Amino acid sequence: MGATEGVAVLLARATAAERRTTDRLYGAIDDVLMDDAVRLDDRTRLRMRAVLAQLAGGIEAALRSHATRLLILRDEAVLAERLRVTAAPVFARLNASGLLRDPALIRELFGRVRQDLMADALPIRAPDDPDQPSLLPRLLHHVNPAVGAASGALLAAESQRRSHMPIGTPQPSDLPADLHHHLVWWSAAALRIAVADAGDGAPWALDRALAEAAAHEIAAHVEEDRLETVAMRLAGALDPDAKARARLLVEALSDRRLSLVIALLAQGLGLDYADMREIVLDPEGERLWLALRALDLDRATVARIGLAMAEADPRRDVDGFADALDDIMATDAVAASKALAPLLLHREYRAALSAIERGVRRAWPSAGMRG
């Protein structure tokens, strides 16, 4: 019997090794044939994996803790201990399931990671008045209480976003509500399957406790405290005219407050934060120049923003920007606004249009041959 079991284990391991070899092969094919223009650099790739692992680990810890307490209160001490000690890295299970390939989730986290890396790389400019506090601390004492409150909230949100708690520590996800809900339910399901695999199935009591823990985690999520939401709230409270917006943008860039730069541009154009973030982070830059002209910003401000972005992102063509500056400034503000108008459409509508257009382009050659 022992020899039979040993053979079965050996065969299972060989089968798993064969699957891993196939996975490595297809991974190598994808990597070799990937266009360099869309390839992530090592720093971005590592940061993305770290953010995903931290998010999944934080939600897993919160679910595990809350569900364990519920099971103990319901005299399910044995089941509670199984849940507590079962090794269940939710990130690994979600990654293997393919759920983490969700485009909306990756779009949000990719924008967040690239924004943080860009902000860290922005050049620091010496203030005109060295005795004057930097922008956000100064806005804390603004005559408008809404500006002061939003400034304090943005400082707190940036601190929270950049804190690196150990993986497995319960912590808020700081995701948009719909993405947070998805990740919570996925994590609860992954935990349930892990406990079932480690014991004699998953009793109904475990399902109930995990579902209630997930509902509690969702109810505790406060989207109004997200960095992006707070930045937009501050930009709305400031509601600057063109001259004040130019000054605030330059100061925010000098302080590396990229979230406020994005929010000020989005608020002025009527765009949402995520769309404006993609425009600001796009290394090509054409849409950003249109956005700056649509806000009728002066040449000096446009030049400061363009050069700061080029210094922070080596993929940007600083000489090309300098050569194009005259053409950028010659672009009429009204024409620039019209060019950006499609971005004012609802994002789901735009996504549907894009999906249908891609499908039509793929189908067109075969349709033409049939005709």
Side-chain angles (χ1 to χ4, degrees):
M1 180 65 71
T4 302
E5 290 179 352
V7 170
V9 170
L10 181 61
L11 289 173
R13 288 179 176 174
T15 301
E18 184 176 351
R19 284 198 300 268
R20 287 194 297 273
T21 300
T22 302
D23 290 343
R24 281 194 292 267
L25 172 62
Y26 282 102
I29 292 171
D30 290 341
D31 189 61
V32 169
L33 299 180
M34 185 179 296
D35 193 309
D36 288 341
V38 299
R39 189 186 301 276
L40 295 182
D41 61 89
D42 290 341
R43 186 172 56 162
T44 303
R45 185 186 307 109
L46 290 173
R47 184 76 68 90
M48 281 288 292
R49 289 186 65 88
V51 168
L52 279 166
Q54 190 171 37
L55 282 172
I59 290 174
E60 173 189 349
L63 292 175
R64 193 192 292 266
S65 174
H66 192 81
T68 298
R69 288 197 301 271
L70 290 175
L71 289 169
I72 291 172
L73 289 172
R74 293 165 184 169
D75 296 325
E76 297 280 359
V78 174
L79 190 54
E81 183 63 11
R82 274 178 59 192
L83 176 60
R84 190 185 69 81
V85 302
T86 298
V90 162
F91 171 72
R93 286 180 175 268
L94 294 182
N95 188 29
S97 72
L99 286 171
L100 293 181
R101 294 177 178 270
D102 179 71
L105 175 64
I106 296 301
R107 177 181 190 257
E108 175 63 30
L109 297 183
F110 186 47
R112 178 191 297 191
V113 165
R114 291 183 61 223
Q115 176 183 316
D116 289 344
L117 293 174
M118 175 73 84
D120 291 341
L122 283 171
I124 299 177
R125 307 291 185 191
D128 296 331
D129 182 358
D131 296 325
Q132 179 174 262
S134 59
L135 181 58
L136 280 186
R138 194 168 74 250
L139 290 176
L140 289 172
H141 308 288
H142 197 277
V143 64
N144 182 349
V147 171
S151 300
L154 183 54
L155 284 168
E158 287 194 341
S159 176
Q160 172 67 33
R161 176 67 60 85
R162 288 180 172 272
S163 66
H164 297 289
M165 302 289 288
I167 292 178
T169 303
Q171 54 190 299
S173 74
D174 198 17
L175 285 171
D178 56 339
L179 297 180
H180 176 75
H181 296 176
H182 290 158
L183 194 54
V184 168
W185 288 119
W186 295 342
S187 300
L191 266 176
R192 189 262 195 198
I193 292 169
V195 175
D197 289 347
D200 299 324
W204 177 82
L206 176 63
D207 285 328
R208 179 187 173 196
L210 283 172
E212 290 182 22
H216 177 270
E217 180 71 10
I218 287 171
H221 184 66
V222 183
E223 192 166 13
E224 288 74 17
D225 292 341
R226 294 185 64 239
L227 184 149
E228 294 79 6
T229 306
V230 173
M232 290 298 291
R233 191 158 68 238
L234 175 55
L238 287 166
D239 193 22
D241 57 23
K243 184 175 181 180
R245 191 184 310 278
R247 177 180 55 79
L248 288 167
L249 285 169
V250 169
E251 278 201 78
L253 271 177
S254 298
D255 289 348
R256 290 179 164 178
R257 302 289 183 184
L258 191 54
S259 60
L260 183 53
V261 171
I262 294 169
L264 285 167
L265 294 173
Q267 184 267 342
L269 293 167
L271 301 178
D272 72 18
Y273 187 97
D275 284 333
M276 193 68 243
R277 178 175 60 195
E278 285 189 352
I279 291 174
V280 169
L281 297 177
D282 182 1
E284 300 300 327
E286 285 82 1
R287 292 182 300 167
L288 177 57
W289 315 144
L290 284 177
L292 300 182
R293 287 304 300 135
L295 290 170
D296 204 20
L297 295 176
D298 61 273
R299 184 186 183 92
T301 302
V302 172
R304 286 284 295 272
I305 293 173
L307 291 174
M309 293 296 169
E311 287 187 54
D313 187 349
R315 296 173 301 172
R316 297 181 186 241
D317 181 5
V318 62
D319 293 329
F321 168 70
D323 293 339
L325 187 55
D326 287 338
D327 292 336
I328 293 169
M329 297 310 301
T331 304
D332 180 69
V334 175
S337 297
K338 287 181 178 179
L340 293 171
L343 290 173
L344 296 174
L345 298 172
H346 194 283
R347 178 179 295 173
E348 294 295 331
Y349 179 65
R350 287 187 281 121
L353 288 173
S354 177
I356 291 173
E357 287 174 353
R358 287 198 305 273
V360 169
R361 285 197 299 270
R362 286 196 298 267
W364 182 254
S366 58
M369 289 176 65
R370 287 196 301 271

